[in-house]
Amino acid sequence: MLYRLKSAGYQSYLVGGGVRDLLLGREPKDFDVATDATPEQVREVFRNCRLIGRRFRLAHVHFGRDIIEVATFRSMQDESGPGDRESENGMLVRDNIYGTIEEDALRRDFTINALYYNIEDFSVVDYAGGVKDLEQGVLRLLGDPETRYREDPVRMLRAVRFAAKLGFMINEACEKPLFELGSLLQSVPPARLFEEVLKLFMAGVALHSFEKLRHYGLFAELFPATEESLAHEDHEFPITFVNRGLHNTDLRVREGKPVTPAFLFAVLLWEPVRLLAERYRASGEPPLPAMQQAGNDVLMAQLDRVSLPKRFSLPMREIWNLQHRFEQRAGKRPHRLLTHPRFRAAYDFLLLRAEAGEIDAELADWWTRFQECDGETRGQMVNQAGNGGELPKKRRRRRKRPSRSAPRTPSGD
Ligand code: ATP
Ligand code: MG
């Protein structure tokens, strides 16, 4: 690939995360290529090539199922940030899209992401001290940190993500603004934040990422209602629940099992949903409408910050809405629940609630046994459960606190 561009007379390098991961001895997720050929010129070299993007055109070269992204060297403008579209200095964006390799290096975020690998002679082109930072395990932004964060606030999330993923230290000057500039994330389109949230929480380092995000006050910008429910809790449960949920996700990712954004968001938003549903129930709503209404309210507010496509929010809400049905263990209902298409996810969610101490472990155990046993035993289990109607749910005891805007109503206490 790089040879083809070379023999056509162009410079070309591997760049970005692929080079970083190679030099760290990690398996690169993908490779990006940077070249001095324009996208049109790249297309002339590769038949299996498509140009994408309107403002900044990129060439996607297809090799079987793999796609290699080939980008022409660019100068300071960056397509990814919302802020940098505002041509603050009145500079005409169009005029200087393309640049030299050196300019291309300087527009990147961290020194360790600004390394160019020349496969011709296996040399690494390093304009910014990235090799040294890589060796020392340091994340350092190019240029003035605050300016770079203001240009594109998503870089704050990237700092956290790479620190969590690589186990790197964020250099002091780059770390300080993280505590102060979090609110800039409010100007980032929710759809872009959704992408970043997935990268933060679905790459096997969700728990680390979560802890760091909270440390810098960035989690509150992404999930304000969740942060509220964690911050005001005088009780370990909610944080335990989120921690366990994220830890489970990490284990699944590392084992190569599928994880879905629906389950992830169900975990992240559960505490505010649960509290609100409790309030609706206290004011007389039956369990299902209470949960539906709470799920709806919390989701609507959340979408202002981080978007969540319908194909994920629908199953997420189903996971929540199914929870109360696990309490109904008499008659035909348990059998019916078992055949529900979302049973598995809802049951995994139930286990998490039990592990975190929100509900009685007995209930989760019952469902575990119920699935595993044969039809006859199932009948017996249902009969036993049916004797006194629904088994009383054990309530966690909560200390009452003076009610604030969102009173927690420990219904049943
Ligand atoms: P990952 O392994 O997660 O893909 P990555 O470093 O490859 O990490 P990408 O989002 O794929 O991250 O971006 C590729 C490269 O583009 C980065 O290495 C960096 O050089 C540059 N880049 C990406 N996002 C930004 C940004 N917001 N600001 C500046 N440069 C960026
Ligand atoms: Mg990448």
Side-chain angles (χ1 to χ4, degrees):
M1 153 104 218
L2 297 169
Y3 295 111
R4 290 253 298 267
L5 281 168
K6 165 87 177 72
S7 56
Y10 302 113
Q11 297 175 43
S12 66
Y13 300 87
L14 289 180
V15 68
V19 176
R20 178 194 69 218
D21 293 346
L22 265 187
L23 293 176
L24 284 172
R26 303 167 73 101
E27 196 188 330
K29 218 173 55 189
D30 50 29
F31 286 106
D32 295 327
V33 169
T35 178
D36 61 352
T38 64
E40 289 75 14
Q41 289 167 334
V42 174
R43 187 165 54 184
E44 281 166 24
V45 178
F46 298 97
R47 265 207 351 264
N48 45 348
C49 172
R50 284 181 49 195
L51 300 190
I52 60 154
R54 266 176 303 150
R55 226 165 72 82
F56 292 108
R57 306 236 281 169
L58 290 172
H60 271 181
V61 182
H62 294 249
F63 289 102
R65 292 186 55 194
D66 293 334
I67 297 177
I68 296 196
E69 198 169 279
V70 183
T72 307
F73 295 144
R74 294 209 303 263
S75 58
M76 216 42 193
Q77 303 297 319
D78 186 355
E79 92 273 31
S80 46
D84 46 25
R85 289 201 178 149
E86 307 156 7
S87 50
E88 291 166 359
N89 42 14
M91 189 163 67
L92 250 178
V93 170
R94 281 263 163 216
D95 283 348
N96 46 11
I97 295 178
Y98 299 131
T100 62
I101 178 171
E102 197 166 349
E103 287 171 319
D104 192 75
L106 294 179
R107 76 175 172 86
R108 293 178 184 271
D109 48 4
F110 299 95
T111 59
I112 60 165
N113 285 346
L115 297 170
Y116 296 73
Y117 188 71
N118 184 346
I119 55 150
E120 217 184 320
D121 57 2
F122 310 111
S123 63
V124 173
V125 183
D126 177 7
Y127 289 105
V131 172
K132 184 156 166 264
D133 285 341
L134 210 51
E135 282 164 4
Q136 299 186 339
V138 175
L139 271 169
R140 187 194 315 272
L141 280 164
L142 288 150
D144 171 58
E146 184 167 337
T147 311
R148 298 306 309 278
Y149 288 137
R150 287 188 183 279
E151 254 172 28
D152 181 4
V154 166
R155 288 174 186 148
M156 294 189 277
L157 301 179
R158 290 174 61 87
V160 169
R161 178 159 68 91
F162 294 128
K165 180 169 126 172
L166 308 172
F168 275 30
M169 298 273 299
I170 304 174
N171 140 286
E172 204 187 316
C174 301
E175 186 178 29
K176 221 173 129 267
L178 294 179
F179 293 105
E180 292 149 19
L181 302 180
S183 63
L184 294 176
L185 286 169
Q186 289 172 27
S187 66
V188 178
R192 186 162 175 232
L193 291 182
F194 171 68
E195 297 298 327
E196 288 303 318
V197 163
L198 293 192
K199 289 185 185 173
L200 280 159
F201 292 110
M202 304 217 339
V205 287
L207 192 50
H208 260 114
S209 301
F210 171 66
E211 282 164 353
K212 286 189 190 295
L213 287 173
R214 287 200 79 208
H215 176 68
Y216 297 119
L218 298 174
F219 185 75
E221 299 298 336
L222 299 173
F223 294 92
T226 308
E227 176 61 32
E228 238 258 339
S229 72
L230 298 177
H232 292 288
E233 200 51 56
D234 31 31
H235 184 300
E236 286 286 291
F237 158 70
I239 189 77
T240 311
F241 178 79
V242 176
N243 276 335
R244 280 185 183 262
L246 296 178
H247 180 61
N248 276 9
T249 313
D250 286 342
L251 291 179
R252 289 183 68 93
V253 171
R254 286 178 214 164
E255 289 166 11
K257 292 186 189 160
V259 291
T260 138
F263 195 86
L264 174 70
F265 277 75
V267 168
L268 288 171
L269 297 173
W270 175 238
E271 186 60 10
V273 169
R274 191 180 67 82
L275 293 175
L276 190 56
E278 261 181 27
R279 278 173 65 194
Y280 286 130
R281 278 178 81 158
S283 62
E285 285 293 334
L288 182 60
M291 185 60 73
Q292 286 170 328
Q293 190 58 48
N296 192 59
D297 294 356
V298 169
L299 177 63
M300 285 309 135
Q302 176 63 28
L303 291 178
D304 286 341
R305 296 297 176 99
V306 179
S307 74
L308 181 65
K310 275 249 162 50
R311 66 179 185 284
F312 302 125
S313 66
L314 291 176
M316 169 185 78
R317 299 188 55 188
E318 247 178 329
I319 290 172
W320 294 336
N321 294 341
L322 285 172
Q323 292 306 307
H324 81 280
R325 288 178 55 183
F326 288 107
E327 288 161 37
Q328 305 167 340
R329 287 184 275 175
K332 290 205 172 56
R333 286 174 165 173
H335 299 277
R336 246 185 276 142
L337 185 52
L338 219 46
T339 63
H340 192 284
R342 211 65 70 192
F343 172 80
R344 188 75 220 174
Y347 162 75
D348 284 343
F349 199 80
L350 181 80
L351 289 186
L352 213 52
R353 294 172 65 205
E355 277 175 30
E358 182 207 330
I359 53 164
D360 202 328
E362 191 272 333
L363 182 66
D365 290 343
W366 189 92
W367 279 95
T368 306
R369 279 183 287 122
F370 188 66
Q371 287 174 80
E372 287 164 357
C373 63
D374 55 37
E376 196 180 322
T377 321
R378 275 187 193 161
Q380 286 166 9
M381 288 182 73
V382 167
N383 285 339
Q384 278 163 16
N387 278 342
E390 291 164 23
L391 293 183
K393 198 172 102 183
K394 188 177 138 204
R395 301 267 177 202
R396 292 182 303 115
R397 231 183 307 148
R398 293 165 153 276
R399 240 183 295 150
K400 267 207 177 115
R401 24 175 39 241
S403 60
R404 299 159 3 89
S405 60
R408 292 185 179 87
T409 16
S411 51
D413 270 5

